[in-house]
């Protein structure tokens, strides 16, 4: 199962840098990271230049729900996890999210 992480962001580049570093240190690396730029005017481009693994999507309509939806549409993973730019995912966050999702799918298939 492939896993995408979607991160909507608007003027949170310093937090995003920390979040992306935490995602690099996961016990199970995400297959894709999608950052949705929701009209940032800070140095987001500079941060993303340091993270070539990140897929950037632009969403001009302001709002977390709209930008998250744009990220979900762009994500290619079988499983989509979402966090905010100011999140600091623990090292096992992606792995635990994947395991929980597989357990839920198994439960639903048996039910």
């Amino acid at each position: 199962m492939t896993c995408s992480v979607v991160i909507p962001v608007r003027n949170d580049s310093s937090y995003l840098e920390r979040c992306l570093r935490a995602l690099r240190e996961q016990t199970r690396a995400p297959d894709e990271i999608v950052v949705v730029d929701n009209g940032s005017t800070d140095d987001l481009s500079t941060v993303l230049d340091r993270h070539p693994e990140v897929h950037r999507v632009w969403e001009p309509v302001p709002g977390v729900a709209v930008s998250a939806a744009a990220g979900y549409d762009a994500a290619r993973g079988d499983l989509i996890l979402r966090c905010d730019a100011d999140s600091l995912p623990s090292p096992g966050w992606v792995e635990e999210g994947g395991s929980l999702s597989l357990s839920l799918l198994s439960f639903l298939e048996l039910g």
Side-chain angles (χ1 to χ4, degrees):
M1 175 181 289
T2 58
C3 176
S4 297
V5 175
V6 171
I7 309 170
V9 61
R10 181 180 173 111
N11 296 329
D12 283 328
S13 62
S14 61
Y15 290 115
L16 179 65
E17 177 71 44
R18 195 178 61 147
C19 180
L20 292 174
R21 273 192 254 124
L23 288 172
R24 276 188 176 171
E25 297 171 3
Q26 293 293 299
T27 55
R28 191 254 192 238
D31 298 288
E32 173 187 49
I33 300 171
V34 178
V35 169
V36 183
D37 180 351
N38 198 211
S40 293
T41 58
D42 61 2
D43 65 340
L44 179 62
S45 291
T46 303
V47 170
L48 293 179
D49 286 346
R50 289 192 293 268
H51 297 274
E53 74 278 10
V54 172
H55 174 67
R56 183 181 192 170
V57 174
W58 285 270
E59 176 51 58
V61 178
V64 173
V66 175
S67 58
Y72 302 149
D73 289 345
R76 296 179 307 240
D78 301 314
L79 170 68
I80 301 173
L81 301 175
R82 182 197 168 287
C83 66
D84 292 321
D86 62 352
S87 298
L88 190 58
S90 64
W93 182 71
V94 171
E95 185 175 11
E96 292 163 6
S99 295
L100 180 63
S101 295
L102 285 175
S103 296
L104 180 60
L105 285 174
S106 296
F107 173 77
L108 293 174
E109 288 173 358
L110 294 174

